[in-house]
Amino acid sequence: MKRLYITATLLLIVAANSFAQQTRLNLYGNYAFDDKVDSYYSNTSYFSGKIKGGFLWGAGLEFRLQHDYGLELSSHRMDTKAPTEYYSNGIKNTNFDVALNYIMIGGVRAVHTGTKAEPYGGMSIGVDVIDVKNPDNNTSQSATKFAWGLKGGVNVWASDKVGLKFQAQLLSSVQSAGGGLYFGTGGAGAGISTYSSMLQFVLGGGLTFKFGGAHAAHK
C-alpha cells in the first residue's frame, strides 16, 4: 500500500506541476487538542486513553491549477503522549510515547475578496504513519492507517509573494488506536483486537510563499 501511495503521489505531483499556474510553499505551526480513544470488547479486552495535545508542525506544496483551485501535498508530524488504561494479564496503566506522521493530498479552494485577505477551505485524504513506544518495556510498534482531513482559514498577504496563514483543521486517523496492535488488550494468544479512531481538532497557522504564475496574491 505504501508503494502504491508513493507512486500515485509522484504522478499527481508531476501532473499538477505540468498544469499549475503557480506553486506555493506552505509552512505550518499548529496546536492539536486532546483526543479520547477508547474501546470495549470484554472485561479482558478493552482500553481507555487519551492522545495528549501538542505541537503539530509540517509543510505543504500547493499547486494552483486554476485561479481559485489548488492541489496540496502536505506532511505533518506530532510527538506526544497517550496515557492509557488497558487489560493485558491484568489492568495496566501506561503513558505511551506516540509519534503521528500525516501524509496527505487534497484540494484547496480560495475566495478572492479584492483585499489582502484570501479565505480558503479544503479537504484531503492520505495516511497516518503511527509509531508507538511502551516505556514500561521499551517495545515499539508502527502502523499505517487511512486518514482524512478538513481545513478552513485565511491567507493574509503581506506582499505579492509572502503571506500569513490562520487556519482551523480536523484530522482523523481511522481505526488508529488498536488493542491488539498497541496496548495488548487482546492478549498474545487471544487474537481479539478492538480499535478506536482518532479525531484531532487543530488550530494555528503559518507562512505561505508564492512562486511563479501570473496571478497577483490578491485582487
Side-chain angles (χ1 to χ4, degrees):
M1 180 178 177
K2 288 184 182 179
R3 183 175 298 177
L4 178 62
Y5 177 77
I6 292 173
T7 301
T9 298
L10 290 174
L11 290 174
L12 283 170
I13 291 174
V14 172
N17 202 33
S18 299
F19 293 101
Q21 303 180 44
Q22 181 190 105
T23 302
R24 297 181 182 182
L25 171 64
N26 300 319
L27 302 179
Y28 297 99
N30 303 296
Y31 183 84
F33 291 84
D34 292 355
D35 181 53
K36 185 178 181 181
V37 289
D38 58 64
S39 185
Y40 182 87
Y41 185 85
S42 70
N43 290 333
T44 58
S45 182
Y46 74 90
F47 65 89
S48 178
K50 181 183 294 185
I51 306 297
K52 298 292 289 182
F55 183 62
L56 178 75
W57 58 274
L61 277 177
E62 182 181 336
F63 305 97
R64 305 298 293 184
L65 305 179
Q66 297 181 15
H67 186 46
D68 296 332
Y69 297 93
L71 181 69
E72 184 183 30
L73 174 67
S74 64
S75 177
H76 300 268
R77 181 180 175 90
M78 178 179 175
D79 294 282
T80 187
K81 299 283 188 178
T84 306
E85 178 183 297
Y86 60 102
Y87 189 95
S88 180
N89 297 318
I91 298 174
K92 296 183 179 180
N93 287 275
T94 300
N95 195 16
F96 292 91
D97 298 314
V98 180
L100 305 175
N101 301 274
Y102 290 96
I103 303 170
M104 312 288 282
I105 191 164
V108 182
R109 179 173 182 178
V111 178
H112 297 280
T113 63
T115 69
K116 293 181 179 295
E118 181 190 65
Y120 65 88
M123 62 182 301
S124 57
I125 59 172
V127 295
D128 184 11
V129 182
I130 308 165
D131 299 308
V132 178
K133 180 179 179 180
N134 186 335
D136 296 340
N137 54 23
N138 289 320
T139 59
S140 300
Q141 296 194 52
S142 181
T144 301
K145 296 294 184 178
F146 173 76
W148 60 268
L150 297 173
K151 65 181 178 181
V154 60
N155 296 319
V156 180
W157 294 98
S159 70
D160 286 345
K161 300 293 184 180
V162 180
L164 296 175
K165 298 185 75 69
F166 301 92
Q167 180 173 286
Q169 189 173 19
L170 282 176
L171 286 172
S172 179
S173 183
V174 179
Q175 292 192 340
S176 55
L181 179 60
Y182 297 128
F183 308 136
T185 61
I192 297 173
S193 296
T194 55
Y195 292 91
S196 177
S197 296
M198 292 183 347
L199 182 63
Q200 295 182 288
F201 179 61
V202 182
L203 281 178
L207 296 172
T208 181
F209 303 91
K210 185 171 64 171
F211 302 95
H215 296 316
H218 58 277
K219 290 190 175 182

